[in-house]
Amino acid sequence: MSDEEKSSSLVTSAISNLHGQYNFQSIAIVLVIMKANHEQTGWEESLLTCIAFVGAIHGQLLFGYIGDWLGRQRGLFLTNLFCVLGALGSSIFSWGDSTRIYLVIAVCRFFLGMGVGGTYPLSAVNAAEHSATTSLLDRRKRVSWSFFWQVPGSTLPFVVAYGVDKIFPENYDLQFRIVLGLGALPALIAMIYSLKVLDSKEFSSVKESTGIGIFYSLKRRDYWTKLIGTGGGWFCYDIVHYGPYLLAPVIIRQMFGRDGQEEESIDTISWQTALANLMGIPGVLICIALFKPLGIKHQQFYGFLLIASTFFAIGSLYKTASNTTLFVLFCIMTFAINSGPSVTTFVLPSETFPPEVRSTFNGLS
């Protein structure tokens, strides 16, 4: 395996993670922007918030299996293609009355979600299998560094929203289309880089020698026992992660509007949310640094305890603490969310299952 191929594989996984979170999180600020020109019912707001995750469930299962069936490189190309088409479609075709606009965005974001869902298993497996060594710690760090870019990805939509609000003030239709459409650019870059990546020798040799597929693997009880561990942790983490992240603009707006203050502007909400999300960067870096002394299982356990304590603190002090105190606690909560289970749930499936079914069971997790 050449150095260029190892580098391309890591770049592909990193960019796939970056645009995955960008495309997931962009809808949070887009809904705030669209309220200026397009009235939203509770049903429409909920649909646009959740539909990408419905697609992601399908994408994780479909593209996870494709990664084992057709190979990692083809799977990465296809899943990023879905992201390009979904992001562009939600930006380009969302015209007409408000109802039609929301419907078009919802349909496009379903297919976008399928693509983003597929990037999870494929980017993790791709990063792990192209490691320069067979050391478990080295593989773990390589997968973690590809995951690291999810944090900048979750921050970028709010940075972009802040910029377009300054450049195109009060042109809200153009603003939300730019925020949605830009999600296609890194996905396109990941597609191009995926063409430079060949399937690893580890996967290719095992696949050729065993020919074991998903249907045989589903009958193995030991795989299901492992799946309960990898999938159960990920299930719990997603509950505590996506609630605060997707509703961050709403939560922050309510924090600073409790005293009857004037509703905050789009640029204010954008920089406040971006600042809170950036607190995830030191969280991920600390998690990577603690792999060797703590181990992945202890990090996941203590990480969930830290997250629970920050949730408890915000809930307990919400009515009595100042707006600034609550915002600081929200930033600490973001740090906690990214300081343990965020990385460990992503890494564990890639090192738990054998290469012939690694992508499929990563997607199931």
Side-chain angles (χ1 to χ4, degrees), residues 67-229:
D68 286 331
W69 175 38
L70 297 179
R72 319 312 196 205
Q73 184 268 337
R74 292 176 181 175
L76 278 167
F77 181 87
L78 289 173
T79 196
N80 280 293
L81 176 61
F82 267 62
C83 293
V84 171
L85 297 178
L88 284 179
S90 62
S91 175
I92 295 173
F93 300 122
S94 52
W95 298 93
D97 58 43
S98 296
T99 301
R100 184 181 184 278
I101 288 174
Y102 287 129
L103 180 60
V104 169
I105 293 176
V107 172
C108 291
R109 284 189 65 80
F110 173 81
F111 290 101
L112 171 68
M114 287 187 65
V116 173
T119 63
Y120 273 79
L122 288 165
S123 64
V125 169
N126 178 62
E129 293 178 347
H130 284 86
S131 176
T133 70
T134 57
S135 165
L136 183 61
L137 182 60
D138 289 342
R139 282 192 167 204
R140 190 173 288 172
K141 288 182 176 180
R142 183 178 170 88
V143 176
S144 300
W145 278 114
S146 74
F147 171 86
F148 168 84
W149 291 97
Q150 285 197 15
V151 181
S154 68
T155 306
L156 278 175
F158 304 99
V159 176
V160 172
Y162 180 89
V164 296
D165 184 62
K166 294 296 185 183
I167 299 171
F168 308 107
E170 299 185 8
N171 192 343
Y172 301 114
D173 281 2
L174 179 61
Q175 288 181 24
F176 87 75
R177 288 188 174 90
I178 291 175
V179 174
L180 290 175
L182 276 179
L185 180 58
L188 179 61
I189 295 173
M191 277 179 60
I192 295 171
Y193 267 92
S194 71
L195 296 175
K196 302 179 181 181
V197 181
L198 299 176
D199 290 335
S200 68
K201 292 181 179 179
E202 177 189 14
F203 169 71
S204 299
S205 60
V206 171
K207 190 68 175 176
E208 291 174 2
S209 62
T210 64
I212 295 175
I214 180 60
F215 298 108
Y216 169 80
S217 303
L218 288 174
K219 299 177 182 178
R220 294 192 53 166
R221 183 175 298 178
D222 57 328
Y223 286 178
W224 281 101
T225 304
K226 294 176 180 178
L227 182 62
I228 292 172

Side-chain angles (χ1 to χ4, degrees), residues 277-298:
N277 285 355
L278 282 173
M279 293 302 297
I281 290 179
V284 173
L285 294 178
I286 289 175
C287 182
I288 295 174
L290 292 176
F291 272 146
K292 189 172 183 178
L294 278 185
I296 198 166
K297 293 182 180 179
H298 285 96

Side-chain angles (χ1 to χ4, degrees), residues 144 173 247 259 327:
S144 300
D173 281 2
L247 298 176
D259 304 325
F327 181 68

